[in-house]
Amino acid sequence: MIIVKSVADLRRVRAELPGPLGLVPTMGFLHEGHLSLVRRARADCASVAVSIFVNPTQFGPGEDLERYPRALERDLNLLRPIGVDLVWTPPPEEVYPSGYQTFVTVEQVSRPLEGKARPIHFRGVATVVAKLLNLFEPHRAYFGQKDAQQTVVVRRMARDLDFPLEVVVCPTVREADGLAMSSRNAYLTPGERPVASVLYRALGAAKEALDRGEHDADILRSVMSRTLADEPVASEEYVSIAHPATLDELETVEGEALFSLAVRLGRTRLIDNFLLHEDEWSTGIIAEGSRA
Ligand code: PAF
């Protein structure tokens, strides 16, 4: 596993890697969700690259850039045994050198849901992912379904800007109680941790109502809200049932639908989603050996 920090070294090592190349972009503090992306890339591709970079441009003022968890040595130790060829761990000035002023904005699909609470977030994500795609020139890039809107934004950008690659979206990996794995789960206090499964429970309640024949999206949204309200320490930011590609809110759930929600729990903001497609629920997978 070759670890590089500069753009020049990245280009030099990348040029020697046999294709197809799979890229897994991350912000580090890796968990089983990230590792599942790497394993999938390993299974699909001749070479696998991972980027570890806490991207400052996707954090708004007052967000958690400073306290975002970082553990580079631990991350590298997790990646070594699973067959990664190249890891890029640039310092911020390597990605955004002095005088930097170019950004990628994906218009409509960046605005609702996360975009309402985090207005510059997807501009930062699209910009850094565009740079990663230019630098690594991967044949496939791997993202988790957990960040559903991010996958929509990245797919849109790749299509609109003619990046010649496949965007592969892999299932959410969950703890035993259903909590979606996320680096930000590290912020949860021992008291908040059991409450955090309420996002999964709210999505499950909507699924049960749908299975009973309820197709009115407003009613299904209120089922999610009521479940969240059962936990007074969890405050709802939004619940949504939207078209999975346009992210327009739906009136009825007949075909494909993205059920998503965001919740604030103390100082932690959590998101989760289920994707309903072809009459099947994609809920993600419970990690082997994970504990509630
Ligand atoms: O999902 C993440 O960790 C980040 O948003 C990404 C895609 C690595 C861009 O910084």
Side-chain angles (χ1 to χ4, degrees):
M1 187 169 89
I2 302 175
I3 302 156
V4 295
K5 285 186 185 302
S6 71
V7 164
D9 285 345
L10 163 61
R11 288 198 195 276
R12 187 177 44 76
V13 177
R14 191 302 169 223
E16 300 301 317
L17 292 177
L21 173 72
L23 171 67
V24 182
T26 82
M27 297 208 301
F29 207 67
L30 304 180
H31 51 68
E32 193 49 40
H34 298 111
L35 302 183
S36 74
L37 304 181
V38 174
R39 288 193 197 99
R40 172 73 189 275
R42 183 73 278 165
D44 291 352
C45 303
S47 306
V48 176
V50 174
S51 61
I52 299 180
F53 177 60
V54 181
N55 173 36
T57 63
Q58 68 189 73
F59 290 78
E63 288 187 7
D64 55 344
L65 173 61
E66 303 308 328
R67 71 179 184 124
Y68 195 86
R70 290 156 170 93
L72 184 57
E73 278 314 309
R74 174 185 158 280
D75 289 348
L76 297 174
N77 287 335
L78 288 170
L79 294 175
R80 263 187 203 99
I82 55 174
V84 174
D85 300 288
L86 167 61
V87 183
W88 192 43
T89 64
E93 59 278 14
E94 194 68 22
V95 181
Y96 301 110
S98 149
Y100 189 91
Q101 50 187 290
T102 303
F103 291 89
V104 177
T105 303
V106 181
E107 302 275 341
Q108 262 145 275
V109 291
S110 294
R111 286 194 199 114
L113 307 176
E114 289 303 286
K116 272 198 189 140
R118 311 184 67 194
I120 65 157
H121 175 64
F122 290 115
R123 182 183 85 138
V125 170
T127 300
V128 81
V129 172
K131 285 174 70 82
L132 292 170
L133 299 184
N134 279 330
L135 289 167
F136 282 90
E137 298 184 86
H139 299 83
R140 298 191 186 96
Y142 294 82
F143 298 87
Q145 175 62 31
K146 151 83 177 22
D147 294 304
Q149 189 172 6
Q150 170 169 282
T151 68
V152 176
V153 169
V154 167
R155 276 208 163 114
R156 188 71 263 164
M157 179 197 69
R159 236 173 261 160
D160 290 353
L161 297 184
D162 305 305
F163 282 104
L165 88 160
E166 187 189 346
V167 174
V168 182
V169 178
C170 300
T172 301
V173 180
R174 298 180 178 282
E175 304 284 357
D177 67 349
L179 175 65
M181 288 200 182
S182 162
S183 306
R184 288 190 168 97
N185 293 350
Y187 300 152
L188 294 167
T189 64
E192 290 163 352
R193 172 60 191 86
V195 177
S197 65
V198 73
L199 285 85
Y200 184 69
R201 285 184 269 133
L203 292 165
K207 174 192 185 305
E208 275 175 28
L210 184 74
D211 287 347
R212 286 196 305 270
E214 182 56 73
H215 290 269
D216 183 312
D218 271 341
I219 295 178
L220 293 168
R221 279 185 280 263
S222 66
V223 168
M224 289 196 273
S225 292
R226 275 203 307 276
T227 311
L228 295 179
D230 286 344
E231 296 282 7
V233 289
S235 78
E236 171 187 319
E237 285 207 353
Y238 65 79
V239 296
S240 160
I241 302 176
H243 186 279
T246 64
L247 302 183
D248 292 335
E249 289 298 315
L250 298 176
E251 284 179 16
T252 52
V253 180
E254 300 297 350
E256 297 194 324
L258 177 68
F259 289 56
S260 67
L261 71 185
V263 165
R264 195 164 281 282
L265 200 49
R267 291 179 69 206
T268 311
R269 192 169 176 280
L270 298 172
I271 58 173
D272 200 353
N273 69 85
F274 281 171
L275 186 60
L276 177 68
H277 56 101
E278 292 152 13
D279 293 329
E280 274 180 23
W281 280 87
S282 170
T283 60
I285 45 180
I286 303 282
E288 228 170 83
S290 68
R291 305 256 179 283

